[in-house]
Amino acid sequence: MSEDNQPAVKIFLAVLTIKLLLAGGVYYFLGEERFIWSDSATYLELGRRIFAGESFGDPLRTPLYPFILGAFFALTSHGALWGAVVQAFFAAGAAFFVFKIGKRFL
């Protein structure tokens, strides 16, 4: 790893660790149903519909994220938990790229 990437990788790992610890804490202390809040239920339902072969039915949302959530629900009984893990990687990746872009322009 080059010296230039070390801060960005540290940010990635820090965000990933924090997100995973928070998700694990919520899951352990409050249960998986606490992952489902705000518009999460909508995305989970859309994912379920995709894998059930039903109509997507929501023109205001893109199908990729519901597809990913639906895949986890189709593969495991803990779909919301694995969705939170995937979301932690997305958040850490976003932090990594925002840092790299900001560093380039500042």
Side-chain angles (χ1 to χ4, degrees):
M1 173 177 13
S2 71
E3 292 283 327
D4 190 40
N5 277 338
Q6 281 185 346
V9 171
K10 287 179 182 178
I11 288 173
F12 175 86
L13 292 174
V15 170
L16 180 64
T17 301
I18 291 168
K19 291 280 289 180
L20 290 176
L21 286 173
L22 287 172
V26 168
Y27 181 78
Y28 182 77
F29 291 110
L30 302 175
E32 189 171 11
E33 64 275 356
R34 296 297 290 183
F35 282 122
I36 302 172
W37 57 279
S38 186
D39 62 349
S40 300
T42 303
Y43 283 104
L44 293 170
E45 176 61 19
L46 291 173
R48 185 202 62 77
R49 291 177 73 172
I50 289 171
F51 278 87
E54 300 173 14
S55 168
F56 183 68
D58 191 346
L60 299 177
R61 303 198 193 284
T62 57
L64 181 60
Y65 190 59
F67 179 83
I68 292 170
L69 292 177
F72 281 106
F73 267 104
L75 297 173
T76 178
S77 62
H78 300 290
L81 175 63
W82 288 109
V85 170
V86 169
Q87 193 171 12
F89 276 93
F90 285 154
F96 175 87
F97 286 116
V98 166
F99 178 83
K100 295 292 280 184
I101 291 168
K103 190 171 181 179
R104 182 179 198 146
F105 289 105
L106 293 178

